Amino acid sequence: MKAFVAATVLACASLLPFQQAAAKPIEIKFSHVVAENTPKGQMALKFKELAEAALPGQVEVKVYPNSQLFTDSTVLQAMQLGDVEMAAPALSKFQKYTTKLQLFDLPFLFKDIEAVDRFQQSPEGQKLLKSMEGKLLVGLGYLHNGMKQLTANDPIRTPADISGKKYRIMTSDVLQAQFEAVQAIPLKKPFSEVFTLLQTKAIDGQENTWSNIYSKKFFEVQKYATETNHGLLDYMVVTSSEFWYGLPDDVRNKLKVAMDEAIVYGNKIALEKDSEDRQQIIDSGKTEVIKISAEERQQWVEAMKPVWNMFADEIGADLIGAALEANN
Ligand code: SIN
């Protein structure tokens, strides 16, 4: 009997490491490039809080802000290789994976963020979340940041003012064409390098949202910000299809609920930060915010309009039509 008990104890003890291994939480590394006090930074932290509360001991979400883990030019490849589970790159950064998302970069496409939201929630917008499944990437949802403004060391009011100036852009051919349309010189550079490029005057300016201009201190090294609202900077939260569809159903469902809630939270922050950070920049006294007239704005619209035709075939006229419909 004693021998039987000893053998049973031994057998149980030898199983222990496997049981512990089985109980190890699923690790979700969420990599992003912005500061924590931004819509994306706050959304990622909210997702961590909600996911870990819904699946206690079953998942551990590790958020890496400020390009600590990957830059936007490396994160998607890392995701395909299984080195990171979640990210939310700007919609301008998916060009290598689908040409369809170039839609969101067309200048002056959406009249405001409510129109963007209507399009993103429409059947066409939702279909785009699945447009990269062939490349092993799945979109879990869209997150807003806001409309882009132009910063510079000279007052920019009309397209003529920007001619010949070097502007940092995200890795998007549409954005390249947009700046070339106004005779500026676009340079594709990672977000993590923008502050230094501006500080050292290697570039003259950049386009971004109020929240990024404020949180990354671009306003400290640029004298002017022109309120053009000429384009959109929103995100797609993505994960690898191998990771996502490999999860047990109940875990995947609970993570999706947590993500949906975190996105609602992040969108609320985006709305607040858009006006708060604009005001913080004005209050700093370091950057003058220039408001342009309706006539000046129309000059930008006309100068940049040819970009639409250049990309219409790659994006699809149906998609452009659906986006325009959302403006009504
Ligand atoms: C981001 O908001 O994630 C970065 C945007 C940029 O690269 O300008």
Side-chain angles (χ1 to χ4, degrees):
M1 180 63 185
K2 265 190 193 157
F4 171 75
V5 172
T8 310
V9 169
L10 254 173
C12 290
S14 66
L15 276 177
L16 213 57
F18 295 103
Q19 285 168 344
Q20 277 168 353
K24 218 173 141 218
I26 299 164
E27 185 181 87
I28 302 176
K29 294 191 276 311
F30 192 138
S31 169
H32 68 80
V33 298
V34 291
E36 286 191 327
N37 61 337
T38 56
K40 184 160 53 180
Q42 291 294 301
M43 181 281 282
L45 291 174
K46 179 58 88 180
F47 171 68
K48 173 181 169 63
E49 177 195 318
L50 295 171
E52 291 180 355
L55 293 155
Q58 287 187 74
V59 297
E60 185 182 4
V61 181
K62 292 185 178 165
V63 181
Y64 298 88
N66 293 312
S67 311
Q68 273 167 19
L69 194 59
F70 293 105
T71 65
D72 273 347
S73 52
T74 54
V75 74
L76 294 175
Q77 202 181 355
M79 190 171 280
Q80 289 175 315
L81 295 171
D83 292 335
V84 61
E85 286 70 35
M86 285 188 185
L91 291 164
S92 316
K93 295 179 181 173
F94 288 95
Q95 183 181 290
K96 270 210 270 184
Y97 303 88
T98 173
T99 56
K100 298 285 165 200
L101 293 180
Q102 294 186 119
L103 171 80
F104 292 101
D105 278 341
L106 294 179
F108 298 103
L109 175 65
F110 293 106
K111 71 171 187 197
D112 52 29
I113 211 79
E114 286 77 26
V116 174
D117 209 48
R118 279 193 292 276
F119 173 73
Q120 290 175 346
Q121 300 316 319
S122 73
E124 291 86 356
Q126 290 295 300
K127 206 168 139 200
L128 288 176
L129 294 173
K130 293 183 178 290
S131 61
M132 295 176 285
E133 285 199 338
K135 304 272 166 63
L136 306 182
L137 300 173
V138 196
L140 298 181
Y142 296 99
L143 174 71
H144 297 315
N145 185 325
M147 305 305 278
K148 289 181 290 186
Q149 323 300 339
L150 296 171
T151 69
N153 279 323
D154 297 306
I156 305 288
R157 291 192 163 275
T158 65
D161 298 331
I162 208 177
S163 170
K165 295 206 185 302
K166 289 194 201 116
Y167 262 71
R168 176 269 173 176
I169 55 164
M170 296 183 271
T171 49
S172 152
D173 289 349
V174 179
L175 298 181
Q176 181 175 341
Q178 168 195 277
F179 277 96
E180 284 171 352
V182 290
Q183 276 75 52
I185 305 162
L187 298 164
K188 292 177 182 164
K189 296 283 178 191
F191 188 57
S192 53
E193 291 178 21
V194 179
F195 180 86
T196 309
L197 289 167
L198 292 172
Q199 192 181 37
T200 58
K201 302 209 169 21
I203 52 174
D204 297 301
Q206 60 88 47
E207 53 164 13
N208 232 305
T209 58
W210 293 122
S211 117
N212 280 350
I213 296 168
Y214 180 67
S215 61
K216 285 291 174 189
K217 304 192 189 309
F218 299 159
F219 72 100
E220 293 191 355
V221 285
Q222 294 272 266
K223 292 202 189 104
Y224 299 95
T226 307
E227 196 159 28
T228 47
N229 291 309
H230 62 278
L232 174 73
L233 202 170
D234 265 14
Y235 308 110
M236 188 185 283
V237 184
V238 276
T239 184
S240 112
S241 49
E242 206 174 311
F243 166 74
W244 190 243
Y245 296 118
L247 291 170
D249 286 354
D250 64 319
V251 173
R252 188 172 53 252
N253 293 341
K254 285 185 178 157
L255 287 178
K256 182 67 171 69
V257 170
M259 181 55 76
D260 289 346
E261 206 178 311
I263 285 177
V264 170
Y265 177 77
N267 282 342
K268 189 170 158 284
I269 304 265
L271 214 63
E272 289 164 6
K273 287 218 155 281
D274 200 50
S275 55
E276 279 171 19
D277 290 353
R278 176 183 178 279
Q279 194 55 46
Q280 300 264 31
I281 291 167
I282 294 171
D283 294 347
S284 77
K286 293 189 169 153
T287 297
E288 185 185 325
V289 173
I290 299 175
K291 277 173 126 13
I292 52 172
S293 66
E295 293 75 33
E296 286 165 337
R297 188 168 195 274
Q298 195 51 33
Q299 289 186 41
W300 290 97
V301 173
E302 273 158 30
M304 291 178 168
K305 190 74 189 187
V307 175
W308 288 35
N309 276 343
M310 290 168 67
F311 292 90
D313 286 348
E314 285 179 39
I315 295 168
D318 51 335
L319 221 45
I320 298 178
L324 287 174
E325 193 62 32
N327 281 331
N328 300 323

